[in-house]
Amino acid sequence: MNNNSASLAEYRRKLRSKRIMLGVCLCILLAAAAVWRIAQGEWNIPLARVAELLSPSLPESERTAPEAIVVRLVRLPRFLAAVGTGGLLAVSGAVLQGVLVNPLAEPYTLGIAAGAAFGGALGFFFGSLAVMPMAFMGALAALWLVNMIAWKGGGGSSAYIVLAGIVTNAILSAGVTFLKAIADDKLGAIVLWLMGSLAGAAPLSAAMVWVGSAIVLVPAFILGRQLDAVSLGEGRGEALGVDERKLRLVLLCSSSIASALAVSYFGIIGFVGLVTPHILRLLIGPSHRQLLAFSFLAGGTLLAVADGAAQWLGELPVGVVTALVGGPFFCWILVSGRRTAK
């Protein structure tokens, strides 16, 4: 018994040290990404000058200078949008994987992103101002459809929610293909939006994705212990006194609303919410309160770096970069996990 207690204490100590080290590394990477994204570019601006331009006490006469406009209205909002969107998607992925007890669950596999894509593509037929609100409504409509199918088919169990998400994703993806086929001169704009890009990030859109991050992160963090119980398996949470259906409803809705905000502003950016929680579980364990905090930090850093790479490669859509890197990397994780299991 004493040996077991000592072993457990040693394991916890090592895990705590690993978390501290990972947190420090992620903060350093995020700071480096901030310097790269805000100070460097086609127009390199000295770091001291950047700090001066971002100061709240900057004289009004200097706020209209070209350097100030580039830093304050272009680079800073884009960086903040990347961090907020990446963190939001990673946290949403961690929440959905936990509450549905499925390692492949994320906003895109559940049809939420497909709903936003269909709504946004449809919005192009009514004018560019209709894209964002219709994408948001499309994501919420997809969530409603997934829950209705799951409830009618299997009483709302997590397995049926995932299956309903796959069916909904297939139907709405076909709808997007149909809209592209009849788009004519709007086809280019639709395809570019669907690829996902942060190039048009503005202070308002950056602020909104941070609001979306809070919408999913705050309730998930508060309910972290219940989420730990539910993630043990279907029915395990009920045995521990957790109302699984209520928890699932709250977290599905908050994750979907947050993801809908991100997709409606910046399009489809895949694999951040799928890969990031997997990597972090291997490093820091499955406890959701720690996992959620690290997921936000790691997801934000990942997307900020990916967006920098996309811009460096000639302003590619960042969704293309995350798919090209995330897809093969996730396949490697699956293959490595299977070999380890054997």
Side-chain angles (χ1 to χ4, degrees):
M1 188 69 177
N2 290 334
N3 289 337
N4 290 337
S5 299
S7 298
L8 181 60
E10 179 66 15
Y11 170 76
R12 288 178 174 173
R13 186 189 65 78
K14 289 182 179 179
L15 187 59
R16 191 180 302 113
S17 299
K18 188 183 292 186
R19 287 171 178 168
I20 292 172
M21 186 179 299
L22 178 62
V24 171
C25 290
L26 287 174
C27 288
I28 292 172
L29 285 173
L30 186 59
V35 172
W36 176 37
R37 300 297 293 125
I38 299 174
Q40 304 297 312
E42 292 185 6
W43 184 2
N44 293 336
I45 302 174
L47 202 55
R49 179 58 175 162
V50 170
E52 183 182 335
L53 292 170
L54 292 177
S55 172
S57 60
L58 184 70
E60 192 68 32
S61 58
E62 288 194 43
R63 297 192 180 192
T64 55
E67 283 181 325
I69 293 173
V70 168
V71 169
R72 296 169 72 100
L73 299 181
V74 179
R75 292 182 181 176
L76 180 62
R78 182 165 178 169
F79 172 73
L80 292 177
V83 174
T85 302
L88 181 159
L89 294 174
V91 169
S92 295
V95 168
L96 293 174
Q97 288 167 19
V99 78
L100 297 176
V101 201
N102 191 305
L104 296 179
E106 66 154 342
Y108 301 103
T109 57
L110 291 182
I112 298 167
F118 180 80
L122 188 61
F124 278 97
F125 290 84
F126 299 95
S128 58
L129 293 178
V131 173
M132 193 275 289
M134 291 194 69
F136 187 77
M137 289 188 291
L140 298 185
L143 173 65
W144 174 82
L145 182 60
V146 167
N147 280 283
M148 186 186 71
I149 295 172
W151 186 261
K152 295 289 185 181
S157 69
S158 59
Y160 273 87
I161 289 175
V162 174
L163 290 174
I166 294 171
V167 172
T168 302
N169 186 69
I171 294 170
L172 293 174
S173 295
V176 172
T177 302
F178 172 75
L179 292 177
K180 288 194 290 186
I182 63 172
D184 293 331
D185 59 322
K186 301 177 182 66
L187 177 61
I190 292 175
V191 170
L192 185 63
W193 179 78
L194 289 173
M195 288 180 180
S197 176
L198 295 163
L204 176 61
S205 57
M208 288 305 296
V209 292
W210 280 82
V211 170
S213 299
I215 288 174
V216 64
L217 185 57
V218 171
F221 192 84
I222 292 172
L223 299 170
R225 298 300 184 192
Q226 297 182 42
L227 188 55
D228 287 342
V230 170
S231 65
L232 294 174
E234 188 82 21
R236 298 288 182 87
E238 296 284 357
L240 295 172
V242 178
D243 187 341
E244 290 191 6
R245 289 186 179 179
K246 182 178 179 181
L247 180 71
R248 194 177 295 128
L249 178 63
V250 170
L251 295 182
L252 275 175
C253 287
S254 62
S255 298
S256 300
I257 291 171
S259 302
L261 274 173
V263 175
S264 61
Y265 277 107
F266 302 119
I268 308 296
I269 302 173
F271 287 100
V272 176
L274 189 62
V275 174
T276 307
H278 276 278
I279 298 172
L280 291 173
R281 281 193 189 92
L282 296 174
L283 295 174
I284 63 169
S287 178
H288 277 88
R289 285 186 173 173
Q290 287 77 20
L291 180 62
L292 294 172
F294 279 99
S295 290
F296 182 85
L297 191 56
T301 303
L302 174 63
L303 192 56
V305 173
D307 184 48
Q311 190 174 25
W312 180 72
L313 291 170
E315 204 59 79
L316 289 177
V318 69
V320 173
V321 175
T322 58
L324 287 174
V325 176
F329 191 74
F330 187 65
C331 289
W332 176 78
I333 291 175
L334 291 178
V335 171
S336 299
R338 186 175 180 182
R339 288 175 178 170
T340 303
K342 287 181 178 180

